[in-house]
Amino acid sequence: MKYLAAYLLLIEGGNTSPSASDISSLLETVGAEADEARISALLKDLEGKQVADLIAEGQTKLASVPTGGAGAAGGGAAAASGDAGAAAAEEEKEEEKEESDDDMGMGLFD
């Protein structure tokens, strides 16, 4: 993932065709080790392809992924029973806090 992220950052920065050395250099600037074999595999997979086209293709694939929604129904049923509603709201706040991804113990290039 860090190799793709570095590749995309280089593209966004104006480098229309990042090389393996460009990706390695970028990763080294943030203290990440670069695996040349993985960089080569990434570049081979992306060869001759436009990033915008790949992103558009990925978005169409993600559109078919179900995102759930059944969890909200349970919270609404509990809220209808007086004090249970306050407990459910408190529990929901705790779950949101646990699900927060502010610091998941990893950096962008780990």
Side-chain angles (χ1 to χ4, degrees):
M1 187 71 164
K2 65 183 173 184
Y3 304 106
L4 180 57
Y7 182 86
L8 293 173
L9 283 170
L10 288 165
I11 293 279
E12 197 62 27
N15 185 341
T16 58
S17 182
S19 67
S21 64
D22 294 333
I23 295 170
S24 294
S25 296
L26 178 61
L27 291 172
E28 289 171 5
T29 62
V30 295
E33 292 184 27
D35 180 357
E36 295 299 323
R38 294 182 95 182
I39 294 172
S40 295
L42 173 70
L43 292 175
K44 183 179 177 187
D45 288 343
L46 295 174
E47 188 176 331
K49 299 177 182 174
Q50 296 295 317
V51 172
D53 295 339
L54 294 172
I55 291 172
E57 181 182 334
Q59 287 176 333
T60 59
K61 290 180 181 180
L62 283 176
S64 66
V65 175
T67 58
S81 62
D83 289 336
E90 184 65 32
E91 184 178 321
E92 188 174 313
K93 286 181 185 177
E94 288 179 24
E95 284 179 16
E96 287 177 6
K97 187 175 182 180
E98 288 175 9
E99 292 177 4
S100 173
D101 61 351
D102 292 341
D103 183 15
M104 295 175 51
M106 62 182 149
L108 177 63
F109 295 106
D110 287 343

